[in-house]
C-alpha cells in the first residue's frame, strides 16, 4: 500500500461551496477545532485556577476586549492611541450610576456600556474627519486631559476616586461574564467584518475616496465603527469598576491605551482573533515580569521588538497558515 | 435641440496655490448627449471632473445639475443624485477578488433606493456587471485578486463600478488609457448601450480617434480654459486647438 502526504484542508477546500458535505468527524474537528478549543479553554480554565490567576484571567479578557476594540477601529482606518478613553468612560459611568444612583451592577454595567460608548463617540466625532496621525494624537491626549479635569474640578471624588462600589456576586461570575462577552464579541465581530458591511468599513481604510465615490457617507460609517469599538471598551471598564469596587483616575492611565495596541500588533491586527491572542500572551507575561522589578519594562520591550521582527504578520496569521498547511498521510491505490 | 440641460457649469475656477487649474470655465451638457473633453496634459480636465463630482470645491463659480445647485454638495450625495465618475488613476482593493470590488458600489444607498430595498445577492449582480464590461465568465477573471489583473481589466472594473450605481450622468476620466485596441473595441458597445438607455456621458480622452467616432460634441481645454466647443471636425480645424496641441507636444 503506497502512501503520500496531503494537506488536510485539501478535500475540504474542493468542497468549500457547500461546507456541510464534510465527510468525516475528523474534518469536522479540523474545521471546528480552532473555534472550540479557545472557547473551551476560556470556559473550563477558571475552575482550575487559584484566586490570583483567576484575577489575571479577568485582566486577560479585559485587555483582549480592549485589543479587539482597537483592531476594529484600525480595520476602519482609525489608529487609536487612547483605548483608555473608552475603558475609563465605561468605568466612570458605571461607578457614578452605582455610587450616586444606587444602581446594581447588572443594570449599571449595561447602561455604562452603551452610554459610555455613546459619550466616547460624541467626544471623538469632531476629529473623525482628521486623517492618520492627527486622529491618533487626539485620542492619545483626551484621556490625559480628562484626568487633569477630574483632578482640578474634584468631581466624582477627584483624586480619591469613588470607592465602595457594589461587587458582583463572585469571582466566577466576573470571569464568566467577561469571557462570555469576549467570546461573543470576538465571533460576532469576526462575522460582521466578513459581511458586505465589514467590506465597506475595510474599504474606508484602504481607499476612502473610492468608498465616497460609491455614494457612501464615510463619516457616518466611521461613526458607527467608533461606536461599536468604544462600546466594547466601555464594557471592559464598567466591569472593572465592580471588580475593583473602585473607580478613579487610574482608569484613564496610559497602560489601557498601550497594552491593547501592543497585543493587537503581536497577535496580528486585522483578524480580531490575533488581538485576543496577543492579550493572552502579553498580560500573563507582564504579570510574571512583575517580580523582577525595574527591569520589567526592558524585558517587555525586548519581547515586543523580537516578536514584531520575527513574526511581522502577527502570530495569528502565522498559526493559521501553519494550521492550513498541516498534512496527513493518505493511501493511494495503484 | 430642446433637450433639457443635465449639467450646467457656470464660470467655474479652481486655483491651486498659483496655478489656475480651471479658469473661468462655463459649459453645458444636455440630456442624452455624449460629450468628449480633450486637452493637453495638465489642462485641467481631471480637476473639472473633481469639481463636478464634488471631490474638489471651486474657488469661484457654480455647478447646476438638473437645475439644482450642487457646487458645495458632499461628493457621496452627488453620487446618490445620479452623477458617477471613474478615476483616471485606478486604485482598486488589490487583495480582493475583482467581483468583491463591486460590492461597495452595490452597497450604496442609491442602489438600495433604486431597487426599493430589494437588492438581492450582491455577488451575483457583481458578476453580471463584470461580464457586461468584458470579464469572460468561463475564464474566471472576476474571481482573481484585482492586484493580479492587467491595466485593461482594472479600467473596465472601474467602469463596471460606475455603472453599478445606475447613474444619469456618467463621467469617464481617460477610460481608454491603458487598454488595448481590442479592449477599447469591446468597451465601445457598452458605452453605446448606455447612451441608448438615455444616459448622459462625459468622456475625457487622449485617444482622439476612438473618441471622435462616438462623441456628439467635443470640448477642448487648455490652461484651464475652454478654447473650443463643437463637432469634432470643426473643433480640430480651429487654429487655437492646433496651436495648443502642437505647443504641448512639440
Ligand atoms: N491637488 C492639486 N494640488 C495642486 N495642484 C494640482 C492639484 N490637482 C491638479 N493640480 C494642477 O492643476 C493642473 C491641472 O491638472 P489636471 O490633473 O486637472 O490636468 P489634466 O488635464 O487632467 O491632465 P492629464 O491629461 O495629465 O490627466 C496641473 O497643473 C496640476 O499640476
Ligand atoms: Mg487628468
Amino acid at each position: 500500500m503506497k502512501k503520500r502526504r496531503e494537506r488536510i484542508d485539501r478535500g475540504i477546500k474542493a468542497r468549500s461551496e457547500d461546507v456541510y458535505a464534510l465527510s468525516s468527524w475528523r474534518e469536522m474537528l479540523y474545521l471546528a477545532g480552532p473555534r472550540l478549543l479557545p472557547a473551551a479553554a476560556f470556559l473550563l480554565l477558571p475552575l482550575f485556577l487559584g484566586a490570583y490567576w483567576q484575577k489575571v484571567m479577568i485582566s486577560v479578557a479585559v485587555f483582549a476586549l480592549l485589543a479587539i476594540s482597537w483592531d476594529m477601529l484600525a480595520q476602519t482606518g482609525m489608529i487609536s492611541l487612547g483605548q483608555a478613553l473608552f475603558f475609563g468612560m465605561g468605568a466612570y459611568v458605571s461607578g457614578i450610576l452605582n455610587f450616586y444612583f444606587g444602581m446594581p451592577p447588572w443594570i449599571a454595567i449595561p447602561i455604562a456600556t452603551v452610554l459610555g460608548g455613546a459619550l466616547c463617540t460624541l467626544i471623538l466625532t469632531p476629529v473623525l474627519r482628521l486623517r492618520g496621525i492627527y486622529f491618533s494624537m487626539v485620542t492619545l491626549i483626551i484621556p490625559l486631559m480628562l484626568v487633569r479635569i477630574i483632578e482640578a474640578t474634584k468631581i466624582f471624588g477627584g483624586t480619591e476616586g469613588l470607592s465602595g462600589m457594589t461587587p458582583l456576586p463572585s469571582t466566577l461570575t466576573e470571569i464568566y461574564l467577561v469571557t462570555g462577552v469576549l467570546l461573543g464579541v470576538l465571533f460576532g465581530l469576526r462575522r460582521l467584518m466578513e459581511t458586505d458591511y465589514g467590506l465597506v468599513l475595510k474599504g474606508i481604510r484602504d481607499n476612502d475616496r473610492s468608498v465616497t465615490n460609491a455614494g457612501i457617507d464615510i463619516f457616518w460609517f466611521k461613526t458607527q465603527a467608533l461606536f461599536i469599538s468604544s462600546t466594547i471598551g466601555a464594557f471592559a471598564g464598567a466591569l472593572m469598576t465592580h471588580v475593583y469596587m473602585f473607580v478613579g483616575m487610574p482608569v484613564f492611565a496610559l497602560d489601557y491605551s498601550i497594552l491593547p495596541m501592543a497585543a493587537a500588533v503581536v497577535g496580528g491586527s486585522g483578524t480580531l482573533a490575533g488581538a485576543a491572542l496577543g492579550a493572552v500572551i502579553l498580560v500573563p507575561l507582564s504579570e510574571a515580569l512583575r517580580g523582577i522589578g525595574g527591569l520589567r519594562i526592558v524585558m517587555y520591550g525586548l519581547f515586543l521588538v523580537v516578536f514584531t521582527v520575527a513574526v511581522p504578520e502577527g502570530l495569528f496569521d502565522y498559526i493559521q497558515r501553519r494550521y492550513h498547511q498541516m498534512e496527513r498521510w493518505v493511501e493511494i491505490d495503484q | 435641440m430642446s433637450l433639457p440641460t443635465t449639467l450646467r457649469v457656470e464660470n467655474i475656477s479652481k486655483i491651486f496655490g498659483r496655478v489656475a487649474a480651471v479658469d473661468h470655465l462655463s459649459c453645458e451638457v444636455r440630456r442624452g448627449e455624449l460629450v468628449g473633453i480633450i486637452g493637453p496634459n495638465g489642462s485641467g480636465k481631471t480637476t473639472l471632473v473633481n469639481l463636478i463630482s464634488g471631490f474638489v470645491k471651486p474657488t469661484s463659480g457654480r455647478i447646476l445639475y438638473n437645475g439644482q445647485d450642487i457646487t458645495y454638495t458632499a461628493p457621496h450625495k452627488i453620487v446618490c443624485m445620479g452623477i458617477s465618475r471613474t478615476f483616471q488613476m485606478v486604485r482598486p482593493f488589490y487583495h480582493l477578488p475583482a467581483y468583491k470590488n463591486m460590492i461597495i458600489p452595490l452597497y450604496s444607498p442609491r442602489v438600495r433606493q433604486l431597487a426599493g430595498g430589494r437588492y438581492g445577492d450582491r455577488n451575483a449582480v457583481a458578476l453580471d456587471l463584470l461580464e457586461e464590461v468584458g470579464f469572460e465568465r468561463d475564464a474566471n477573471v472576476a474571481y482573481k485578486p484585482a492586484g493580479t489583473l492587467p491595466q485593461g481589466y482594472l479600467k473596465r472594473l472601474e467602469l463596471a463600478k460606475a455603472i453599478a450605481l445606475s447613474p444619469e450622468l456618467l463621467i469617464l476620466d481617460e477610460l481608454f488609457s491603458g487598454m488595448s485596441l481590442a479592449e477599447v473595441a469591446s468597451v465601445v458597445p457598452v458605452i453605446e448601450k448606455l447612451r441608448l438607455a438615455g444616459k448622459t456621458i462625459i468622456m475625457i480622452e487622449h485617444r482622439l480617434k476612438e473618441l471622435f467616432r462616438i462623441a456628439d460634441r467635443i470640448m477642448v481645454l487648455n490652461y484651464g480654459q475652454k478654447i473650443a466647443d463643437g463637432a469634432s471636425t470643426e473643433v480640430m480645424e480651429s487654429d487655437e486647438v492646433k496651436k495648443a496641441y502642437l505647443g504641448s507636444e512639440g
Side-chain angles (χ1 to χ4, degrees):
Chain A
M1 185 67 67
K2 278 205 163 184
K3 289 191 171 195
R4 71 178 165 86
R5 288 168 73 83
E6 175 193 274
R7 277 172 59 164
I8 295 179
D9 65 351
R10 212 171 149 166
I12 302 177
K13 268 211 179 125
R15 290 193 303 274
S16 65
E17 289 296 300
D18 46 341
V19 203
Y20 308 102
L22 296 176
S23 66
S24 71
W25 63 270
R26 272 200 212 205
E27 288 184 352
M28 212 103 86
L29 199 64
Y30 173 84
L31 282 184
R35 288 164 188 82
L36 288 180
L37 201 69
F42 266 114
L43 294 179
L44 294 178
L45 211 54
L47 302 173
F48 304 102
L49 291 177
Y52 172 74
W53 286 102
Q54 282 187 334
K55 290 291 179 198
V56 173
M57 199 171 157
I58 294 178
S59 202
V60 166
V62 160
F63 277 104
L65 282 169
L66 287 172
I68 288 172
S69 146
W70 183 89
D71 198 13
M72 165 87 196
L73 272 189
Q75 288 195 42
T76 317
M78 294 177 276
I79 305 296
S80 152
L81 297 177
Q83 295 306 96
L85 172 64
F86 306 165
F87 183 83
M89 194 62 79
Y92 261 100
V93 173
S94 197
I96 290 162
L97 292 177
N98 186 236
F99 190 89
Y100 293 104
F101 301 95
M103 287 187 191
W106 57 271
I107 297 179
I109 293 176
I111 296 182
T113 302
V114 177
L115 193 62
L119 284 170
C120 294
T121 310
L122 218 59
I123 291 174
L124 287 177
T125 35
V127 295
L128 271 189
R129 291 183 197 274
L130 297 181
R131 285 189 180 200
I133 191 76
Y134 300 106
F135 176 81
S136 308
M137 269 161 48
V138 173
T139 55
L140 176 67
I141 288 164
I142 289 178
L144 305 179
M145 258 168 43
L146 289 179
V147 170
R148 296 287 159 251
I149 291 173
I150 292 169
E151 202 176 25
T153 60
K154 301 192 172 57
I155 46 164
F156 310 134
T159 46
E160 303 288 307
L162 306 170
S163 21
M165 242 44 88
T166 318
L168 290 163
S170 69
T171 307
L172 276 184
T173 319
E174 292 165 357
I175 294 190
Y176 282 120
L177 178 60
V178 71
T179 50
V181 170
L182 172 62
L183 292 172
V185 163
L186 179 58
F187 292 118
L189 277 192
R190 264 174 77 82
R191 175 148 296 187
L192 180 77
M193 291 313 279
E194 291 305 315
T195 62
D196 292 350
Y197 178 80
L199 207 65
V200 172
L201 293 187
K202 288 185 272 192
I204 294 173
R205 174 197 59 193
D206 293 339
N207 184 352
D208 58 357
R209 202 183 59 164
S210 165
V211 178
T212 301
N213 199 40
I216 291 170
D217 184 358
I218 58 167
F219 182 70
W220 173 232
F221 276 73
K222 277 172 144 182
T223 307
Q224 292 175 18
L226 179 59
F227 179 69
I228 295 172
S229 165
S230 51
T231 298
I232 296 166
F235 168 80
L239 179 91
M240 287 318 273
T241 289
H242 299 280
V243 171
Y244 291 140
M245 294 182 276
F246 163 81
V247 63
M249 296 184 330
V251 293
F252 288 115
L254 214 48
D255 301 35
Y256 294 110
S257 298
I258 302 301
L259 190 57
M261 185 168 54
V265 170
V266 165
S269 62
T271 59
L272 299 169
L277 180 63
V280 169
I281 295 167
L282 290 190
V283 175
L285 183 77
S286 73
E287 282 299 324
L289 289 176
R290 196 161 285 221
I292 64 171
L295 279 179
R296 174 170 165 239
I297 301 296
V298 179
M299 295 286 293
Y300 202 69
L302 271 179
F303 181 83
L304 277 187
V305 171
V306 168
F307 235 97
T308 34
V309 171
V311 200
E313 84 253 54
L315 207 52
F316 183 75
D317 273 345
Y318 177 79
I319 294 174
Q320 195 174 34
R321 192 154 45 89
R322 277 303 155 104
Y323 188 73
H324 289 316
Q325 286 168 348
M326 257 176 13
E327 292 172 326
R328 63 175 163 199
W329 289 101
V330 288
E331 291 167 0
I332 41 176
D333 24 36
Q334 297 249 296
Chain B
M1 284 253 266
S2 58
L3 286 169
T5 307
T6 292
L7 183 75
R8 186 189 184 92
V9 175
E10 287 180 0
N11 209 18
I12 204 137
S13 295
K14 178 66 197 181
I15 298 171
F16 289 115
R18 305 166 87 192
V19 184
V22 172
D23 191 5
H24 295 96
L25 185 141
S26 299
C27 63
E28 263 189 31
V29 178
R30 295 181 173 279
R31 182 177 299 164
E33 250 190 323
L34 198 166
V35 176
I37 299 181
I38 64 172
N41 290 114
S43 56
K45 305 180 296 293
T46 297
T47 305
L48 180 60
V49 176
N50 286 340
L51 286 165
I52 297 169
S53 55
F55 281 90
V56 163
K57 294 304 169 193
T59 313
S60 64
R62 332 193 274 165
I63 299 167
L64 302 175
Y65 170 63
N66 289 336
Q68 200 178 340
D69 190 334
I70 56 162
T71 320
Y72 294 100
T73 307
H76 70 270
K77 288 194 185 135
I78 292 180
V79 173
C80 291
M81 291 168 76
I83 301 182
S84 79
R85 55 85 58 97
T86 64
F87 286 101
Q88 180 180 349
M89 299 285 179
V90 295
R91 208 149 71 79
F93 301 115
Y94 293 103
H95 57 282
L96 289 180
Y99 81 98
K100 280 285 179 194
N101 273 267
M102 301 288 300
I103 299 297
I104 291 177
L106 289 173
Y107 198 84
S108 170
R110 177 170 174 85
V111 175
R112 288 178 197 224
Q113 203 183 10
L114 291 179
R118 291 170 290 107
Y119 35 84
D121 180 8
R122 293 197 185 89
N123 291 340
V125 179
L127 290 168
D128 287 343
L129 281 163
L130 283 176
E131 191 173 19
E132 226 168 279
V133 298
F135 279 59
E136 303 84 355
R137 189 158 283 202
D138 28 340
N140 283 338
V141 202
Y143 293 96
K144 294 193 178 131
T148 65
L149 296 180
Q151 188 70 9
Y153 277 102
L154 294 182
K155 284 290 198 161
R156 284 181 283 166
L157 170 61
E158 189 74 7
L159 173 64
K161 275 158 64 182
I163 297 176
L165 293 161
S166 317
E168 276 176 55
L169 170 60
L170 178 63
I171 309 177
L172 307 171
D173 194 356
E174 297 199 22
L175 180 69
F176 293 163
S177 311
M179 280 194 193
S180 68
L181 279 176
E183 282 167 336
V184 171
S186 76
V187 168
V188 167
V190 178
I191 295 172
E192 263 160 0
K193 205 171 129 200
L194 288 167
R195 278 187 80 183
L196 284 178
K199 311 282 185 195
T200 310
I201 302 173
I202 297 176
M203 288 182 77
I204 317 287
E205 271 308 328
H206 276 304
R207 312 231 330 216
L208 304 187
K209 213 169 81 191
E210 285 95 343
L211 178 66
F212 289 171
R213 210 170 289 153
I214 50 177
D216 297 316
R217 180 156 67 90
I218 301 289
M219 283 176 12
V220 189
L221 262 53
N222 196 25
Y223 292 114
Q225 291 175 331
K226 191 171 82 173
I227 58 169
D229 189 342
S232 59
T233 42
E234 71 190 61
V235 157
M236 291 319 280
E237 287 303 309
S238 144
D239 287 340
E240 213 173 345
V241 173
K242 280 182 185 158
K243 212 165 67 194
Y245 266 86
L246 289 177
S248 75
E249 259 135 56

